[in-house]
Each structure stands twice: as C-alpha cells, then as structure tokens.
Amino acid sequence: MQKKRILTGDRPTGKLHLGHYVGTLKNRVKLQDTYETFIIIADYHALTTKPSKEDISKFNKNIEDMVFDYLSVGMDPGKIVFYRQSSIPEVAELFLIFSMLVTVPRAQRIPTLKEIMKDLEINQPSMGLLAYPILQAADILMVKGDLVPVGKDQESHVELAREIARTFNKTYEKVFPETKALVGETPTLPGTDGKLKMSKSLNNAIYLSDSKEEVERKVKGMYTDPTRVHATDPGKVEGNPVFIYLDEFGGEENEEKIKDLKKRYKEGTVGDVEVKSCLTEVLNGFLEPIRERRKEFQKNPEIVEEILRNGKKKVRLEAQKTLSEVKEAMGLT
Ligand code: ATP
Ligand code: MG
C-alpha cells in the first residue's frame, strides 16, 4: 500500500528556533518513516510580509541555514523530499484555480490575518497576504498531503485547505484527500519575552544554532513571573516560560530536579538565578547533539543545493500530474 503523505514547511525568513522544534520539527522526525514527507521552503509565502529587495536578498542564506537546521535535528534527506516553493511554478496555477472556490469574507475570517497585521503594523493587507492560506492549500494539495504537522497558529490554514479539497471534490471529481493538521503536544511555545509565540519576527527566539553562550545570555534575560520581586516571594509556575521550557526540554533525567524547583519556586525558596541556570544547562544539553550534527553536515555545504535540486525534480513531476488531473476533472482541457 502506498504510504500516506505529509506536507509542511517554513518560510525562509530566518533560522529555526525551539518553537519550530516543538510545534512541527519533532513530529516531522517522528513520522518520517511512516509517511512520505515533503518539506516546502515557502519563499512565496515569505513575500507576503517581506517583499523588499533587501528582504529577498536574505532568502538564500536563510534557506541554507534552514536546511542545516533540518538535517541537524535528524530529518533524513534519504527519506524526506525538501524543495523550494518558487521552483514549482505549477503551484501558482493551482492557487489561481483554488481562489475561485473561496469567498473574500472566508479569507478575511482567518484569525492569523488579523494577528499578522497587528504584529507587523500592516494597515491594509495586500491581496497576497489575504490569499496566502489559499496558496498554502495549493502547496499541500499539489502533492496530495494527507497530514500537515504545524504549530497551533497554522491550524486554521489547514482547515481551509480541507474545505477547498472538499469543495473541489464535490464540484468536479474526487482528486484530493481531506487533509488534516497535526499540532505538536505543546501547541505554541512562548517567547523568551513571555509573549504568546516564539517567533523569528519578534526577536524572542532561542535558535537551534545558538552557541552555548548565546543560550546562557538569552536565558538570563528571560521573562519569568513579573509579580515576583524577591526570591522569597511565592512565584507562579503556570504560564511561566522558564518552566514551560524546562518541562519541554528537560527530559526524564531532569524530572525530579524540575519538580523540586517548581515546588520551591511556588513557596518562594528559590531564586530566578538558580532556576535559570538549570534551564541553561537543560537547553544546552538538548542543543549540543544538534550542534554536533550541524558541524558535520556543514563540512559539505554543497549538500544543500543537491537536496533542493533533487526535491525540485520530484515535486515538479507530482505537480504536473496533479494539475492535469485537476484540469481533467474540471473539463478544462
Ligand atoms: P515568522 O515570524 O517569519 O512568521 P515563524 O517563527 O512564525 O516565522 P514560520 O516559518 O511562519 O515561523 O512557521 C513554521 C512552522 O513552525 C509553522 O508550522 C508554525 O506553526 C511553527 N511554529 C513557529 N513558531 C512556533 C512556536 N512558537 N510554537 C509552535 N510552533 C511554531
Ligand atoms: Mg509565521
């Protein structure tokens, strides 16, 4: 039987961080043997908020960094197809067809649109920003993705892809699977500043490629519990990003230690310094093997181009196949 398919990906707007790991990379690694996996580096999507020439000039470097991020967390290029969105022009054609199946109010109702506009102080969205979940549906359905491992913020987009698949299948003929989202165990990892989401654009991220010293510096500056002034004040553990990170990255070997820290934090018998130094250790313990693997892969930088070239070849064939099925189903021949 043919394996089910995963499609997911990231915008080439910067290096990948702990939030990506928790929200989606972890699931990608876990599922790479059971699913045929496609990873899109979504440069058209990056244009929705970063369209300037200066922004675009950074994409290539970001893409290189991201491919090393993927490899260093254990995503296997022997199993996974990685490709760059703009190398598959067919996706623009599928997007155009899908855009006829979505009303403007439906696109405006996507919750991330308002969030992005607020965060980036955009007064009027471009057509591209408004329509980008439709383009995302085209990415997913182009390779007939069954499952999309994403962070919580992307769930509503996958829901739209599912609706589009259903509408297309009903209006014409069954061509597409009804895609489903898979959100990580921690749906959204908060930022080091206590904001709801760690994000490349918000300057609140710990990167998978950060050095030991950078991790230590970032953890020292982390937001904890703002109502707690002295180490003797009882503190809040719930919603405190320091404890969220400890829970997420501590692993079994630190379970007892973290439990004890939480207890003492609530009682007001441990200072932020001790808690943070434990977190620095935990995060560096988690990141060290990732750094080691990165160093190995970086000895052959040409691997990046090779991986993306192979991906392009495979995905273009899939894309052309899907597009002809689509036109056939519509009678657009
Ligand atoms: P940008 O700020 O440029 O939008 P981003 O940090 O949000 O960048 P994306 O490339 O938009 O990163 O997201 C890639 C994937 O990682 C998506 O599936 C997204 O849901 C997930 N993701 C990003 N940040 C987090 C986070 N803090 N927690 C959980 N998942 C996340
Ligand atoms: Mg994003």
Side-chain angles (χ1 to χ4, degrees):
M1 211 181 87
Q2 221 203 335
K3 277 185 184 171
K4 290 213 168 202
R5 287 186 169 177
I6 278 181
L7 178 123
T8 187
D10 313 280
R11 311 194 314 152
T13 47
K15 295 174 286 188
L16 301 182
H17 52 63
L18 295 178
H20 295 112
Y21 185 81
V22 166
T24 160
L25 299 177
K26 199 171 163 185
N27 273 331
R28 297 180 198 177
V29 175
K30 196 169 91 188
L31 298 173
Q32 62 184 339
D33 290 311
T34 20
Y35 284 79
E36 189 178 357
T37 302
F38 294 86
I39 301 296
I40 182 171
I41 300 182
D43 51 352
Y44 283 151
H45 287 299
L47 296 179
T48 57
T49 57
K50 305 219 178 262
S52 78
K53 210 154 173 193
E54 200 204 332
D55 289 326
I56 296 170
S57 72
K58 295 178 189 147
F59 287 1
N60 284 350
K61 171 76 174 73
N62 291 339
I63 289 173
E64 189 181 302
D65 288 337
M66 287 162 66
V67 172
F68 285 123
D69 285 326
Y70 296 147
L71 298 176
S72 59
V73 297
M75 292 166 72
D76 180 347
K79 297 175 185 158
I80 295 182
V81 179
F82 298 92
Y83 70 103
R84 183 176 177 153
Q85 187 182 30
S86 64
S87 71
I88 311 294
E90 288 80 4
V91 79
E93 208 176 329
L94 189 62
F95 160 75
L96 182 133
I97 292 170
F98 282 176
S99 67
M100 312 300 166
L101 306 177
V102 181
T103 66
V104 172
R106 176 67 186 92
Q108 284 169 327
R109 260 201 326 268
I110 301 268
T112 36
L113 177 68
K114 281 191 204 89
E115 275 159 38
I116 291 173
M117 287 174 62
K118 194 174 123 243
D119 284 346
L120 304 181
E121 295 174 10
I122 298 169
N123 290 327
Q124 294 293 344
S126 65
M127 287 300 293
L129 181 59
L130 176 67
Y132 108 84
I134 306 175
L135 179 59
Q136 206 172 334
D139 298 326
I140 298 167
L141 296 173
M142 186 66 110
V143 298
K144 302 197 177 164
D146 298 285
L147 192 70
V148 190
V150 282
K152 181 82 185 159
D153 62 311
Q154 297 286 315
E155 210 178 13
S156 61
H157 297 180
V158 183
E159 185 51 39
L160 182 69
R162 192 180 163 82
E163 271 175 45
I164 291 175
R166 210 180 285 151
T167 308
F168 186 96
N169 292 346
K170 208 169 65 193
T171 314
Y172 307 108
E173 262 170 49
K174 184 167 184 329
V175 172
F176 296 112
E178 287 195 15
T179 306
K180 266 196 332 236
L182 176 70
V183 174
E185 259 167 56
T186 300
T188 308
L189 194 74
T192 52
D193 57 356
K195 284 214 182 84
L196 205 61
K197 181 172 175 274
M198 180 178 284
S199 169
K200 292 175 251 183
S201 319
L202 301 176
N203 199 17
N204 63 2
I206 294 178
Y207 293 96
L208 297 172
S209 49
D210 277 348
S211 68
K212 276 196 170 103
E213 295 70 29
E214 273 164 318
V215 170
E216 186 176 0
R217 184 179 57 76
K218 287 182 181 175
V219 171
K220 270 193 184 142
M222 266 182 80
Y223 173 101
T224 51
D225 173 358
T227 59
R228 189 170 188 254
V229 186
H230 307 287
T232 49
D233 298 343
K236 243 178 80 183
V237 165
E238 291 76 32
N240 186 330
V242 173
F243 286 100
I244 294 175
Y245 293 6
L246 278 173
D247 281 338
E248 192 62 49
F249 299 100
E252 261 172 45
E253 66 275 23
N254 291 298
E255 231 168 66
E256 281 307 308
K257 197 163 151 193
I258 294 169
K259 220 165 115 189
D260 171 63
L261 281 178
K262 282 183 184 166
K263 182 169 154 277
R264 289 194 287 137
Y265 197 80
K266 286 192 221 162
E267 293 166 355
T269 55
V270 62
D272 274 1
V273 176
E274 188 182 335
V275 182
K276 285 182 170 178
S277 110
C278 175
L279 179 60
T280 302
E281 217 175 280
V282 159
L283 289 181
N284 277 328
F286 169 76
L287 290 172
E288 198 45 39
I290 296 178
R291 291 185 192 118
E292 285 301 313
R293 275 199 295 263
R294 173 187 305 272
K295 238 194 273 165
E296 278 307 304
F297 285 116
Q298 280 178 334
K299 287 181 185 159
N300 298 312
E302 66 285 354
I303 191 176
V304 174
E305 219 190 294
E306 194 187 308
I307 285 176
L308 296 177
R309 202 179 332 112
N310 287 339
K312 174 181 167 176
K313 250 196 266 163
K314 286 200 188 126
V315 178
R316 270 205 96 174
L317 288 178
E318 291 292 330
Q320 284 160 357
K321 196 165 137 245
T322 304
L323 208 51
S324 51
E325 281 175 45
V326 161
K327 289 186 177 170
E328 194 71 38
M330 295 173 77
L332 201 62
T333 45

